[in-house]
Amino acid sequence: MELPKNYLESLKKIDNLDLSKLKDCYNKNSFVGVRFSPKKLFLLSQNKQNMQKCLQNDANFNQNDNFFAKTANDFLKSQNFDGQFSPILWCKNGFYYTGTQKLGKSIFHELGLYYLQEPSAMAPVEFLGVKPTDVVLDLCASPGGKSTQIAQKLDGGFLVANEIIPSRAKILAENIQRLGCDNVVVTNHSPKDLENRFLNFFDKILVDAPCSGEGMFRKSPEACTEWQENSPNICKARQIEIVQSAYAMLKPNGTMVYSTCTFSLEENEEVIKFILDTFVDMEVLPINHEKFGFAQGNDIDGTGRLNNTARLYPYLLDGEGHFFAVLHKKNNATPVLPKQAKNVASKHDVALFEKFAKENGLTKKFDSYVSMGSYLYGNCAITINKLKVVCPGVELGEIKKDIFIPSYHLAKCLSENQFKNVLEVSGADAIKYISGQEIPANCNKGWVLLTHKNLPIAFGKVVDGKVKNHYPKILRKQLV
C-alpha cells in the first residue's frame, strides 16, 4: 500500500520503532481476532465442570491445557468451519482465527457467542485489572469491544460505557445488548459533562482515546487517506482534555489505562508525560513487556518512567499497532462521593414485570428499576436524572396497554434454566427468526425463550403452533 511520505518521515522521531520492519508489515495480511463470551462459551461446553473451574481461575485446574481454546476449537469442528483458533497471549478468552469462514456473518455472532476484535485491541482491558465488584468507566466506548470485555469480568460491579457521538452510542448499546451484558449503563456525554457528575467515583477507568489511527493503516487503509501531518497534534489536544476529566473521576488508589491505536509520540508518551507532570499523585505501573512481545515506551524526558508504557508493534507480535499505559492514583484519601438520588420507576410497570416473571418462571433477579418512556429497565446502578442515557441497564420490556412485552435484551441475559418455556430450535429456524419470519412450534402457547445450542436468541409468542416474531425490526438481517 502507498503510505504518505510525511507520515513515514514522522515515524523517524520514534527511537525504538524499526521503520524498515514496519513497512514490511504493510505487505502482509492483518490478523483476525475473536474474543469469546466466557458465560456463553460455558453454555456450549461439553465439560461444564472444567469450564467452570477455568472461568473461576481454579488454582488446581491445569491452565496449560487451555480449556478455553479446546472448547472454542470443538465449536469450530461441530459447525464444520475450516481453520482453527490459537490463543492470544494477553487474553485467555481471545483467539486468532485462521480460516475462511466469515465469522461476522455467522448466526453465532448474532447470538453473542463472540465479539470480533483486533488482537492488540484486547490488551488494554486485560491490564486494567478489573475486579468483579469494581465500578468502572469506559470513557470513549463505541463500538463496544472493550466495554463488553470489561462487563464480562464484572460480577456485582457495574460499568458506565460512555460515547459522545449519538449515532455511535446507539451502536455501542446494540453490542452491549447482543452480548447479553446485564451490568452496563450506556451514556451519551462529553467527558467534561461526566466529570462534574462523577467526581472521585470510579475504581477503574479506561480511556481508549480517539486518535490518528496510524496503527490501523494496514487493517483499515481508509484511515491512511485521512491522515494529515497535523493529525497527531490535533488529536493530542483532545486527548489531554479527556485525560484531565478521567483523572477527576478516578477514585484515590484507582487505576486508569490510557490507550491508542497510533504510533505518534505526541499522542502516546507526550500525553502520559502531561498526566505525570500535571498530577503528582499519578504513576505509571510496570508491566512485563518481554512476556507478551511488547516494546517499552520511549524515554522522551530522560526519567525512565515512560519506559513502563507499552508499544505494540506489528513486527514484534501478531496484531496491529497499539499503545497503552497503566496509571495508578497514589492518593489514598477516602473519596467524598457525590450523593446519588434514587431513580424513579413506575410501580405499575414494576408490578407488571413481576407478574410476567412469576407467570413465566423467570428466575433471574433484577433490581434498581427505572422507567424511561414506555420501557422498564433493571440493574440501573447510577442515578440517570439529568443524564443523556441510551440504555440505563437491562431493558426488561415495554408496557403496552397494561401488558408487559419482554425485550430482546432481557432474553440475551438469560440461560435456558432461567425461564419456564424454552424452545431449542435448529440453525435454519434460528436464521429464519432473526430475519423476521415466523417459525413452527410444538409447545405450549404463550411467551417462549428461543435458543439455539443453548444460546438465547430472543423471546417469541406461541400462537396456533407458530412462534410470532418478536425479534427487533431494526436488528433483523439475512444470515448465512
Side-chain angles (χ1 to χ4, degrees):
M1 62 182 294
E2 194 72 28
L3 297 167
K5 291 182 180 179
N6 289 345
Y7 163 62
L8 294 175
E9 190 65 27
S10 72
L11 296 179
K12 293 179 181 179
K13 297 184 296 185
I14 305 172
D15 289 342
N16 69 351
L17 187 150
D18 190 318
L19 186 54
S20 177
K21 289 181 179 178
L22 179 63
K23 289 166 70 175
D24 287 343
C25 290
Y26 289 110
N27 298 317
K28 301 174 183 177
N29 292 328
S30 57
F31 294 85
V32 176
V34 180
R35 198 191 75 252
F36 278 84
S37 163
K39 290 183 179 178
K40 292 186 184 294
L41 197 59
F42 173 81
L43 296 176
L44 280 183
S45 175
Q46 298 300 309
N47 190 331
K48 287 184 167 50
Q49 184 177 5
N50 277 356
M51 178 58 76
Q52 189 66 37
K53 290 180 179 179
C54 191
L55 290 173
Q56 295 173 344
N57 289 320
D58 191 319
N60 296 318
F61 184 67
N62 186 1
Q63 293 293 318
N64 293 328
D65 289 342
N66 204 326
F67 198 74
F68 268 125
K70 182 180 184 305
T71 304
N73 279 303
D74 286 347
F75 155 72
L76 272 185
K77 292 176 184 176
S78 72
Q79 299 306 308
N80 295 317
F81 290 172
D82 66 347
Q84 67 174 4
F85 290 120
S86 57
I88 295 172
L89 281 178
W90 46 87
C91 182
K92 77 173 185 178
N93 56 314
F95 302 94
Y96 300 101
Y97 173 62
T98 55
T100 60
Q101 183 72 29
K102 300 294 185 183
L103 296 180
K105 298 291 186 181
S106 165
I107 186 174
F108 293 98
H109 180 268
E110 194 67 18
L111 297 181
L113 176 60
Y114 51 76
Y115 190 102
L116 297 178
Q117 187 175 18
E118 197 283 313
S120 295
M122 299 181 195
V125 170
E126 296 303 315
F127 286 84
L128 184 56
V130 176
K131 296 178 181 177
T133 58
D134 277 341
V135 178
V136 188
L137 170 65
D138 186 355
L139 191 51
C140 314
S142 188
K146 295 179 178 67
S147 285
T148 55
Q149 191 176 358
I150 292 169
Q152 289 165 355
K153 295 178 180 295
L154 296 173
D155 185 5
F158 69 91
L159 168 67
V160 175
N162 180 69
E163 171 56 46
I164 189 172
I165 301 173
S167 60
R168 288 172 57 82
K170 184 178 178 182
I171 294 170
L172 168 63
E174 288 176 358
N175 280 319
I176 293 291
Q177 293 186 355
R178 178 174 64 85
L179 270 75
C181 300
D182 62 0
N183 46 16
V184 184
V185 174
V186 179
T187 58
N188 173 214
H189 279 279
S190 71
K192 191 67 178 178
D193 288 341
L194 291 181
E195 175 186 337
N196 298 324
R197 184 66 173 267
F198 295 110
L199 191 67
N200 296 319
F201 190 81
F202 296 99
D203 300 300
K204 306 284 166 60
I205 296 179
L206 175 67
V207 179
D208 188 41
C211 67
S212 59
E214 295 171 356
M216 301 298 287
F217 287 176
R218 176 173 67 172
K219 188 176 179 67
S220 304
E222 63 274 10
C224 183
T225 63
E226 296 171 1
W227 188 92
Q228 297 179 6
E229 193 170 359
N230 64 345
S231 293
N233 278 315
I234 291 173
C235 291
K236 176 186 174 182
R238 179 170 50 182
Q239 291 155 354
I240 283 177
E241 290 181 1
I242 292 171
V243 297
Q244 289 180 89
S245 293
Y247 170 83
M249 291 185 279
L250 186 64
K251 278 183 183 178
N253 204 34
T255 302
M256 176 170 73
V257 166
Y258 173 85
S259 63
T260 72
C261 57
T262 199
F263 296 123
S264 76
L265 292 172
E266 292 89 342
E267 300 174 76
N268 294 324
E269 285 90 347
E270 289 185 18
V271 172
I272 302 305
K273 181 179 182 301
F274 169 85
I275 294 172
L276 299 177
D277 290 346
T278 306
F279 306 111
V280 295
D281 57 346
M282 293 293 276
E283 63 179 340
V284 183
L285 297 180
I287 63 170
N288 190 337
H289 295 79
E290 186 177 353
K291 178 179 178 180
F292 301 103
F294 303 158
Q296 291 184 336
N298 291 275
D299 185 20
I300 61 172
D301 64 358
T303 64
R305 57 188 182 170
L306 296 173
N307 290 144
N308 286 332
T309 66
R311 284 181 163 265
L312 282 62
Y313 289 135
Y315 55 83
L316 293 180
L317 47 74
D318 294 337
E320 303 308 302
H322 276 67
F323 171 92
F324 73 89
V326 184
L327 297 139
H328 174 240
K329 199 172 191 178
K330 293 182 287 185
N331 185 344
N332 288 318
T334 301
V336 179
L337 300 179
K339 291 184 178 180
Q340 290 281 310
K342 289 185 178 181
N343 290 314
V344 177
S346 163
K347 292 181 179 179
H348 175 261
D349 293 355
V350 173
L352 287 176
F353 168 66
E354 291 177 343
K355 179 174 180 287
F356 167 86
K358 184 176 181 180
E359 291 175 349
N360 290 277
L362 173 61
T363 58
K364 186 175 176 68
K365 300 300 181 184
F366 297 91
D367 56 22
S368 303
Y369 298 109
V370 61
S371 297
M372 203 163 80
S374 61
Y375 291 87
L376 179 69
Y377 294 80
N379 295 356
C380 183
I382 61 171
T383 303
I384 65 170
N385 184 37
K386 296 182 181 180
L387 280 179
K388 291 187 289 185
V389 178
V390 180
C391 184
V394 178
E395 183 186 305
L396 299 173
E398 184 178 13
I399 286 78
K400 289 184 176 180
K401 298 179 180 179
D402 279 351
I403 297 174
F404 180 83
I405 311 296
S407 79
Y408 164 83
H409 192 183
L410 174 60
K412 300 296 263 187
C413 293
L414 302 179
S415 57
E416 78 279 5
N417 61 355
Q418 292 179 316
F419 199 76
K420 181 173 65 176
N421 296 323
V422 177
L423 180 60
E424 173 73 13
V425 302
S426 67
D429 278 347
I431 289 172
K432 286 181 180 178
Y433 196 78
I434 290 169
S435 73
Q437 300 178 53
E438 295 181 351
I439 58 175
N442 184 20
C443 61
N444 296 331
K445 67 179 182 179
W447 289 106
V448 62
L449 176 65
L450 299 171
T451 64
H452 175 59
K453 302 291 185 183
N454 294 329
L455 301 174
I457 303 168
F459 286 111
K461 196 162 191 181
V462 178
V463 179
D464 297 331
K466 291 183 178 179
V467 183
K468 298 294 182 180
N469 200 292
H470 282 264
Y471 206 80
K473 290 182 179 179
I474 196 171
L475 299 178
R476 293 176 185 178
K477 61 188 68 173
Q478 300 294 328
L479 298 171
V480 294

